[in-house]
Amino acid sequence: MFPKRSKLTPSANDIELKRKKDIVITAYSPLGSPARPWAKAEDPHLMEESKIKSVAQRCRKTPAQILIRYQIDRGVVFIPKLVNKSRIEEKFNVFDFSQEAKEMEVIDSLDCNGRLILISTMKDSPDYPFDAEF
């Protein structure tokens, strides 16, 4: 009933391979989940990141729109938190521009070498992926 488990650790960096195999990548909290209650003061805040703000200014968009468009341009499904009507409208207003390769590279260069969202309730599951090296 379930697919056989692989001994290989998946990597977010092999998106092209996943596309060839028809595997859909989902970005959970693509805006960095800035209001998460367990956030530490030193955690990165994507929408406050100067590189993101710079790209947003050049594109005349908000940092949230830049981060959403980044996922669209990469072919990644995303799940942003949408509760406020004006923010919903803002986040859907991302189809009137595209980012150039240099802007994509700027965003690609951001790496906090960590995870912002951990699903600790699944910690004992054999499928828990967050202990994997990356």
Side-chain angles (χ1 to χ4, degrees):
M1 181 155 98
F2 292 104
K4 191 174 183 180
R5 285 196 188 127
S6 170
K7 301 278 187 223
L8 300 174
T9 302
S11 168
N13 296 328
D14 56 7
I15 288 179
E16 287 305 316
L17 174 63
K18 290 178 173 100
R19 280 192 188 127
K20 288 178 186 173
K21 301 286 185 180
D22 291 328
I23 298 171
V24 177
I25 306 298
T26 304
Y28 182 83
S29 294
L31 306 179
S33 194
R36 64 191 184 285
W38 60 88
K40 300 178 194 121
E42 66 271 12
D43 283 350
H45 296 278
L46 285 176
M47 292 191 293
E48 296 299 321
E49 170 62 47
S50 62
K51 291 179 180 181
I52 298 292
K53 285 182 169 184
S54 176
V55 171
Q57 188 174 25
R58 281 196 305 274
C59 293
R60 295 189 173 118
K61 293 292 179 179
T62 67
Q65 289 170 316
I66 294 302
L67 292 167
I68 288 172
R69 185 66 209 202
Y70 172 74
Q71 298 301 345
I72 291 169
D73 290 344
R74 293 174 65 221
V76 174
V77 174
F78 56 91
I79 306 172
K81 180 179 179 183
L82 299 171
V83 292
N84 178 300
K85 183 181 178 188
S86 66
R87 295 244 173 106
I88 292 170
E89 291 169 352
E90 168 198 342
K91 289 176 177 116
F92 274 100
N93 189 15
V94 295
F95 297 103
D96 59 346
F97 77 106
S98 61
Q99 297 176 75
E100 296 177 14
K102 65 180 180 180
E103 293 160 334
M104 295 292 286
E105 289 171 12
V106 166
I107 300 170
D108 284 341
S109 75
L110 298 173
D111 184 0
C112 69
N113 196 28
R115 293 183 171 88
L116 300 178
I117 307 297
L118 299 176
I119 307 170
S120 57
T121 57
M122 292 181 58
K123 186 79 172 148
D124 295 328
S125 168
D127 297 318
Y128 184 75
F130 300 116
D131 288 331
E133 291 292 321
F134 57 95

